[in-house]
Amino acid sequence: QLQLVESGGGLVQPGGSLRLSCAASGSTLDYYVIGWFRQAPGKEREGVSCLSTYSGRTYYGDSVKGRFTISTDNAKRTMYLQITDVKPEDTAVYYCAARAEATTPRMCAADLYNYWGQGTQVTVSS
């Protein structure tokens, strides 16, 4: 019954910042693992950042470490991806996602996630 609706995408200049939001309905995100993924044309969907709302464990892809931050609000009804120092290669459709808490070494593997937002386009261009 969990549904995810994301927003916040758009056009941003290189070096700029933006924040993506993903609102949960039907359930809070308690005891879920949440994640942000992106897919550029002709490329496979990749895990950008993931977070266990139970343990606090996080994952960041190598290309975004130090620039992207994943978080939730205190009620765990909304998840965020704060993006800074954007680069042209960040251009993609970004998806929020969630899955039930479980032990796995593949924390941010897309095929493990059951619930998905509709996607929001992020375009980095001058």
Side-chain angles (χ1 to χ4, degrees), residues 58-89:
T58 59
Y59 165 91
Y60 291 96
D62 289 341
S63 64
V64 306
K65 288 180 179 177
R67 300 189 299 116
F68 289 20
T69 303
I70 189 171
S71 65
T72 67
D73 64 352
N74 290 335
K76 297 184 179 178
R77 294 179 180 178
T78 306
M79 56 186 290
Y80 304 97
L81 184 69
Q82 181 68 47
I83 305 173
T84 61
D85 190 25
V86 297
K87 303 178 184 297
E89 52 265 38

Side-chain angles (χ1 to χ4, degrees), residues 1-21:
Q1 294 184 322
L2 176 65
Q3 296 184 4
L4 303 173
V5 179
E6 61 192 284
S7 61
L11 178 65
V12 60
Q13 294 182 340
S17 301
L18 74 167
R19 187 177 72 166
L20 307 183
S21 300

Side-chain angles (χ1 to χ4, degrees), residues 34-57:
I34 60 174
W36 288 94
F37 300 80
R38 67 185 182 187
Q39 187 166 21
K43 296 184 178 180
E44 295 184 354
R45 188 169 300 184
E46 64 171 330
V48 174
S49 181
C50 295
L51 166 69
S52 168
T53 62
Y54 174 74
S55 70
R57 181 186 176 194

Side-chain angles (χ1 to χ4, degrees), residues 69-126:
T69 303
I70 189 171
S71 65
T72 67
D73 64 352
N74 290 335
K76 297 184 179 178
R77 294 179 180 178
T78 306
M79 56 186 290
Y80 304 97
L81 184 69
Q82 181 68 47
I83 305 173
T84 61
D85 190 25
V86 297
K87 303 178 184 297
E89 52 265 38
D90 294 324
T91 296
V93 177
Y94 284 71
Y95 300 88
C96 60
R99 60 177 173 88
E101 180 71 43
T103 300
T104 175
R106 301 192 300 127
M107 184 180 181
C108 219
D111 61 302
L112 299 180
Y113 286 74
N114 308 108
Y115 305 97
W116 291 87
Q118 80 283 4
T120 185
Q121 177 72 45
V122 173
T123 301
V124 182
S125 176
S126 59

